[in-house]
Amino acid sequence: MSGTEKDRVVEFTEFRQRMNERILGHDNQVVRRFFALDTQTYKDGALDLKTKELLGLVASMVLRCDDCISYHVAQCKEAGVNRDEMFETFSVALVVGGSIVIPHLRRAVDFLDQLEGEGVHAQAKPDHQHSV
């Protein structure tokens, strides 16, 4: 894995964490409550965390949000999703979203490849706030 690929994963994670802290530092209850609701939604319940993250990944791909896709790919890896499960999830997103999802699939697989590279996965661990 090149330094550039590794940097992209680290840069994504650090930017997300830095901006979430900045946003949550502002005294706005609506934003704080939404972030809290998002965090609560992905906790184990009738559906386990892994299933919820896979659902989040499909929704993000269908909505074509690359930041959300990258976030959920990382969260899926943290939840123990293997590559075959990831690709079955990608196939659901393609069927639901259609061919317009293909460019996002490419970026999702690229991000997954980077996460699975040497040592990058540990550095890309998301913070405790779930909000994409």
Side-chain angles (χ1 to χ4, degrees), residues 4-120:
T4 303
E5 292 171 339
K6 183 177 178 181
D7 291 345
R8 180 175 165 222
V9 172
V10 172
E11 181 181 311
F12 171 80
T13 304
E14 288 176 352
F15 175 77
R16 186 186 153 278
Q17 184 173 357
R18 183 177 73 249
M19 293 311 299
N20 281 356
E21 288 172 5
R22 203 160 162 231
I23 290 164
L24 290 170
H26 188 74
D27 187 20
N28 183 302
Q29 287 303 312
V30 172
V31 172
R32 288 181 183 174
R33 287 179 179 156
F34 184 85
F35 273 56
L37 176 64
D38 184 65
T39 299
Q40 291 298 314
T41 298
Y42 284 88
K43 289 187 176 181
D44 282 329
L47 297 175
D48 64 1
L49 171 68
K50 182 177 173 179
T51 301
K52 289 180 179 185
E53 287 300 340
L54 291 168
L55 291 168
L57 178 57
V58 168
S60 297
M61 291 183 76
V62 171
L63 291 170
R64 301 184 310 270
C65 174
D66 285 329
D67 279 0
C68 302
I69 293 165
S70 294
Y71 178 78
H72 286 289
V73 166
Q75 288 295 96
C76 283
K77 290 299 296 176
E78 285 293 317
V81 175
N82 67 41
R83 197 167 184 86
D84 289 338
E85 292 169 322
M86 200 77 76
F87 271 82
E88 283 191 24
T89 302
F90 295 156
S91 69
V92 171
L94 281 171
V95 167
V96 173
S99 62
I100 198 164
V101 171
I102 291 172
H104 303 278
L105 170 62
R106 289 182 189 122
R107 287 187 287 276
V109 172
D110 181 57
F111 198 77
L112 176 61
D113 289 346
Q114 292 173 36
L115 285 173
E116 291 179 340
E118 50 193 71
V120 174

